Amino acid sequence: MAKKERIWRVIPDYVGKVTIESQKKQVVLTNELSQEQLLDLAKDPIALGFLEQTTLTEPKNGEENQ
């Protein structure tokens, strides 16, 4: 059975186009951020509007993505 994992990602229309500023820190929203960073940003109601949670399915051994 394929492994499924819930992950956070930036909504495609906003990748690299939005900067969130809080506590004297600026972060450009991109999917290059770690899941830990995206999870932390998802706690901010403003940042949450630019993020989505999705399911990543990893194929089991011997299977390829189609």
Side-chain angles (χ1 to χ4, degrees):
M1 177 180 256
K3 181 181 175 185
K4 294 183 180 182
E5 178 184 1
R6 298 286 290 167
I7 63 167
W8 285 98
R9 67 179 186 177
V10 179
I11 296 171
D13 290 345
Y14 302 113
V15 172
K17 298 179 182 175
V18 177
T19 301
I20 301 295
E21 185 175 335
S22 64
Q23 299 177 357
K24 300 180 183 179
K25 182 171 74 171
Q26 291 184 339
V27 178
V28 176
L29 295 182
T30 175
N31 289 318
E32 299 300 316
L33 296 170
S34 70
Q35 282 299 299
E36 183 178 287
Q37 290 170 305
L38 290 170
L39 175 61
D40 191 45
L41 285 167
K43 296 173 186 173
D44 179 332
I46 295 172
L48 183 58
F50 300 102
L51 301 172
E52 63 184 0
Q53 198 172 30
T54 188
T55 301
L56 177 66
T57 303
E58 296 180 19
K60 64 182 179 181
N61 292 341
E63 288 184 353
E64 293 183 17
N65 289 336
Q66 296 181 2

